Amino acid sequence: MEIIAQLKDTVIAGKLGEAKGLAEKALAEGAEPGDILEQALIAGMDHIGELFKKNEVYVPEVLLAAKSMQQAMQVLKPRLVKSGIEPRGKAVVGTVRGDLHDIGKNLVAMMLEGAGFEIIDLGNDVPAERFVEAAAEHEAHMIGMSALLTTTMHVMKETVELVKEKGLAGKVKTMVGGAPVTRGFAEEIGADGYGDDAATAVDLAKQFVGG
Ligand code: B1M
């Protein structure tokens, strides 16, 4: 369908103010909400994720693409709920306690949403208990934690340990990321995964839910 291809290109180009109208038009032309989501929005975000990995686009372009995708989602969400389409998985995300940096976390959340995940965004300054409570409450598949300060990274360890203590290990996967966080640190604290950037975070989240 031409309109779906047009919407995908709009998302990739990060054009604001066009995606919503195109999504409405696609629905009016009889496109299924699930097809618009998969073939225009998720496909567009997948594409921008690939470009980001190859350093062919940078954070501002990815943020614009995600914003454009979210504009279209405003139209699609109610229709997706009605048609009973299940999200790919549920992810609780947040920046850890003591840390107010949220740009990277927001980027990861938007990319995950673009990949079809339902996001429970706890914001910043999130203590371990809150991550774990939210994951249990929402029956989330994963907890994604971001830290930008070396002094707050220990909250990631506390959260991973609390997940184990509450008997949720295996059921709820843990992913960590942020500028000072390394793969070695993730392994050391027993996290299930480490995301170097937002695109890698999406790949990993897909692996967590077996897709
Ligand atoms: Co602050 N800050 N800051 N800061 N800040 C840094 C992080 C710092 C490196 C600057 C420096 O000194 N060179 C330094 C940390 C030093 C350290 O701990 N090693 C620092 C400091 C010290 C501070 C304050 C303590 C300063 C002060 O008040 N004295 C203070 C702390 C406040 C607090 O949090 N309690 C502070 C405050 C701030 C602002 C509020 C002014 C602002 C934040 C605004 C906001 O986020 N809303 C800010 C900013 C903007 C920065 C820099 C300049 C940029 C961070 C950023 O947004 N990067 C930063 C210096 C720098 O990094 N160059 C700095 C862009 C973002 C897209 O990248 O978050 O790394 P990033 O996310 C990436 C990946 O890491 C990954 O994906 C993203 C996209 O690829 N990723 C994940 C991130 N989370 C992930 C989670 C995943 C997977 C991947 O899985 C779940």
Side-chain angles (χ1 to χ4, degrees):
M1 217 180 205
E2 177 64 24
I3 187 85
I4 287 189
Q6 223 178 319
L7 180 54
K8 179 180 166 188
D9 289 344
T10 298
V11 168
I12 294 169
K15 285 187 199 153
L16 302 182
E18 282 183 28
K20 198 173 167 187
L22 285 171
E24 277 163 351
K25 205 166 160 209
L27 286 171
E29 287 184 14
E32 288 297 328
D35 290 345
I36 304 173
L37 177 70
E38 287 286 337
Q39 295 165 25
L41 306 190
I42 294 181
M45 290 305 290
D46 273 352
H47 186 82
I48 204 87
E50 287 305 315
L51 297 179
F52 182 60
K53 265 191 218 160
K54 291 190 272 179
N55 288 326
E56 288 179 24
V57 297
Y58 299 97
V59 170
E61 286 95 332
V62 180
L63 286 173
L64 281 173
K67 272 232 163 75
S68 176
M69 177 268 299
Q70 283 179 333
Q71 290 180 346
M73 277 304 283
Q74 286 173 17
V75 179
L76 280 190
K77 243 183 200 156
R79 295 288 299 268
L80 287 166
V81 171
K82 251 196 207 161
S83 57
I85 289 178
E86 293 286 327
R88 194 195 279 264
K90 275 191 204 174
V92 167
V93 297
T95 304
V96 297
R97 191 185 70 228
D99 204 325
L100 305 178
H101 297 85
D102 64 0
I103 299 169
K105 181 270 294 171
N106 291 343
L107 192 59
V108 170
M110 286 191 273
M111 293 284 284
L112 284 173
E113 190 179 15
F117 283 83
E118 182 182 332
I119 304 300
I120 297 106
D121 188 344
L122 303 179
N124 55 22
D125 196 16
V126 183
E129 298 76 18
R130 180 79 193 97
F131 276 117
V132 178
E133 276 165 19
E137 182 190 333
H138 295 277
E139 298 184 342
H141 298 90
M142 63 169 271
I143 294 175
M145 289 168 275
S146 183
L148 266 287
L149 298 173
T150 43
T151 50
T152 58
M153 285 162 61
H154 66 93
V155 180
M156 294 173 156
K157 184 169 187 261
E158 287 170 25
T159 310
V160 170
E161 282 169 0
L162 195 58
V163 166
K164 286 186 194 143
E165 239 178 80
K166 298 280 176 189
L168 293 170
K171 251 188 261 169
V172 181
K173 303 274 189 190
T174 49
M175 191 198 302
V176 294
V181 180
T182 60
R183 186 173 304 282
F185 175 77
E187 282 168 8
E188 192 187 307
I189 65 168
D192 295 301
Y194 161 70
D196 182 35
D197 58 31
T200 322
V202 170
D203 290 344
L204 197 59
K206 286 181 186 166
Q207 283 174 31
F208 285 167
V209 295

